[in-house]
Amino acid sequence: MTVRSRSAALAAAALLLGGCARAPTFMRPAGAAAESEASLGWFLIVVSCAVVLIVALLVLIGSLRSRGGDPHAVRREGPGLRWITIGGIILPAIVLVVAFVLTLGTLNAVARPPADALPLAITVTGHRWWWAVRYAGQDPQDQALTANEIHIPVGRPVRITLEAGDVIHSFWVPELAGKTDVIPGQRNSIWLEARKPGVYRGQCAEYCGLEHARMAFVVVAEPPGDFARWLARQATPAAMPTDRLARRGHDVFVGGPCALCHEVRGTTAAGRQGPDLTHLATRRTIAAGTLPNTRGNLMGWVANAPALKPGTLMPKLTLTPDELQAVVAYLETLN
Ligand code: HEC
Ligand SMILES: [Cu+2]
């Protein structure tokens, strides 16, 4: 080995090790469904690598050993035929059947409702280009509507029903479960379970138009007590602000175009074209993960949403600077 090829080999090994340490999120599962999918994935990778290595080795041996003779002569019997039968038919058939059976097992494990599942219906609806999240429990305190942020209790399997409001989307939280298509006119469902508390990023995984890439969401897995408190809070209607500026913002909001597209429970604004804003201030981001939920970003968004997310279905609105100040002050009270 020359010095140069040795350093190239070292660099390749370092890259490979670095790559393993920071494996893509779908290779670092944090939930039951993702774990069974990841182990199937690893198994298939190892088997595929072994097949490639063995075939390459045999080709190498064959090419080194065949010296002289007529290369076009076909041997119809003897060891040649045995190699083809075993290596070309029997072995591949075994590998494919094993992979098929394991895949069926994984599909079954992912689809089956776990015994300790949370008895709470969560429906996520994909819209261009955001996600509506509805909680429909028995009690009124378990019924809420929010957007782009799904809270779940840690360590409990949670069923999520997927619906589409317009076109086909795909729901994917790489660390928690594989992709599931979100199809108009069809209800698909998946089970999510997070083993550790945390914030897991999700993303639309089916090209659905201009802002497909900015159609993200988060799954927040938290201790059961925190989850119940969060849900109870989301279920309450919005309180009327006491501050004068925010009150004026409320009037602008319910009296203007905002109310045609947005709902704020507890007010007359009941639009369903856009996200429910009843507890907007509790959310981490706005516009499906596009921007952190800060005052500056809210200002920019309400003043001219298409400038920040070209193609968004929220139009540029004509508000006076005073109205803009007041509306954003109001939005900040929605916690
Ligand atoms: C024609 C319908 C429409 C009107 C009118 C409208 N919006 Fe929106 N709004 C939307 C849609 C659709 C979204 C989701 C955009 C996205 O993420 O691509 C949105 C998103 C938002 C968001 C971000 C919510 C989140 O959780 O991501 C805020 C805040 C917001 N609108 C405030 C307002 C305010 C304030 C007004 C009035 C000044 C208003 N909107 C008028 C349709 C509308
Ligand atoms: Cu989408």
Side-chain angles (χ1 to χ4, degrees), residues 126-131 166-171 182 203-209 211-216:
H127 293 279
R128 283 177 302 164
W129 288 279
W130 58 282
W131 305 87
D166 36 43
V167 298
I168 299 178
H169 303 276
S170 176
F171 182 89
V182 181
Q203 170 68 39
C204 178
E206 175 86 38
Y207 181 72
C208 57
E211 286 298 347
H212 158 68
R214 292 202 190 96
M215 188 170 165

Side-chain angles (χ1 to χ4, degrees), residues 304-325:
N304 190 352
L308 297 170
K309 189 170 174 178
T312 177
L313 299 183
M314 170 154 162
K316 178 177 192 302
L317 299 157
T318 39
L319 295 175
T320 65
D322 287 354
E323 286 171 336
L324 180 62
Q325 292 278 352

Side-chain angles (χ1 to χ4, degrees), residues 57-236:
L57 204 69
L58 290 177
V59 168
L60 199 69
I61 293 174
S63 60
L64 289 179
R65 275 178 42 174
S66 85
R67 298 213 179 89
D70 178 3
H72 299 294
V74 179
R75 291 217 310 232
R76 297 203 176 279
E77 56 207 37
L81 202 61
R82 208 162 55 228
W83 272 103
I84 290 176
T85 326
I86 296 176
I89 300 172
I90 298 179
L91 275 183
I94 292 176
V95 169
L96 289 180
V97 167
V98 168
F100 180 64
V101 169
L102 288 178
T103 305
L104 284 186
T106 303
L107 280 177
N108 190 33
V110 170
R112 211 182 29 231
D116 56 340
L118 192 74
L120 186 71
I122 305 179
T123 305
V124 173
T125 309
H127 293 279
R128 283 177 302 164
W129 288 279
W130 58 282
W131 305 87
V133 184
R134 173 184 300 282
Y135 289 77
Q138 297 276 313
D139 300 329
Q141 68 182 30
D142 289 342
Q143 296 166 5
L145 191 57
T146 181
N148 308 321
E149 199 169 301
I150 307 169
H151 286 237
I152 61 172
V154 71
R156 268 315 266 285
V158 178
R159 180 200 178 92
I160 301 205
T161 303
L162 297 169
E163 291 180 350
D166 36 43
V167 298
I168 299 178
H169 303 276
S170 176
F171 182 89
W172 191 28
V173 194
E175 286 161 285
L176 300 183
K179 297 172 191 174
T180 306
D181 274 356
V182 181
I183 301 168
Q186 182 175 324
R187 306 180 107 218
N188 286 348
S189 73
I190 57 158
W191 297 93
L192 282 188
E193 181 190 348
R195 295 225 194 282
K196 293 176 296 182
V199 180
Y200 301 94
R201 192 173 187 280
Q203 170 68 39
C204 178
E206 175 86 38
Y207 181 72
C208 57
L210 192 58
E211 286 298 347
H212 158 68
R214 292 202 190 96
M215 188 170 165
F217 59 98
V218 286
V219 173
V220 181
E222 52 197 1
D226 291 359
F227 168 71
R229 267 191 297 282
W230 174 84
L231 185 53
R233 160 138 230 126
Q234 299 293 316
T236 58

